[in-house]
Amino acid sequence: MTVARITSVELHSEEALDEFSKTFNAIRKTFNPEPISCTGIQTAPTSYMIVAVYENDEVAQSALPGREKVVEHVAKYVKDVWHMEGPVYHHQFSDEFVKKLSQTV
């Protein structure tokens, strides 16, 4: 069963959020390539949430060292960070999105 890891990050400022996002996007695939999907969401002026979905729990657990490397690289922007994880019972894409995705492959 797929597993999601949800990471909530509180940044020092709005500027720090911008820099965090740029840095995260630039390095995430290098240190944490395992997720089958990864979505970053700004939830408040200085808050950011990342939802990463993994093929299964084994893959999610094996990705933790890479996640820690990402956290190290963005630490100067971060005031607080926490994460939780669990099985994904609903992960659905629209038919239109799947069509577009299949056309790019």
Side-chain angles (χ1 to χ4, degrees), residues 34-86:
E34 296 86 355
I36 57 176
S37 71
C38 187
T39 304
I41 307 150
Q42 182 178 354
T43 56
T46 60
S47 298
Y48 200 84
M49 182 174 286
I50 301 158
V51 180
V53 178
Y54 298 87
E55 186 176 344
N56 55 47
D57 187 57
E58 183 178 304
V59 174
Q61 298 311 312
S62 71
L64 283 171
R67 179 189 179 277
E68 289 303 317
K69 288 183 192 261
V70 172
V71 170
E72 289 171 18
H73 277 79
V74 297
K76 65 183 173 185
Y77 309 115
V78 176
K79 186 177 187 179
D80 190 29
V81 63
W82 61 267
H83 79 272
M84 60 184 171
E85 59 189 62

Side-chain angles (χ1 to χ4, degrees), residues 7-63:
T7 304
S8 182
V9 184
E10 185 63 31
L11 292 304
H12 292 291
S13 66
E14 292 179 38
E15 295 77 17
L17 186 141
D18 289 338
E19 291 303 314
F20 168 87
S21 180
K22 288 176 193 172
T23 303
F24 179 81
N25 287 328
I27 67 169
R28 201 263 322 151
K29 285 185 181 180
T30 300
F31 296 109
N32 191 236
E34 296 86 355
I36 57 176
S37 71
C38 187
T39 304
I41 307 150
Q42 182 178 354
T43 56
T46 60
S47 298
Y48 200 84
M49 182 174 286
I50 301 158
V51 180
V53 178
Y54 298 87
E55 186 176 344
N56 55 47
D57 187 57
E58 183 178 304
V59 174
Q61 298 311 312
S62 71

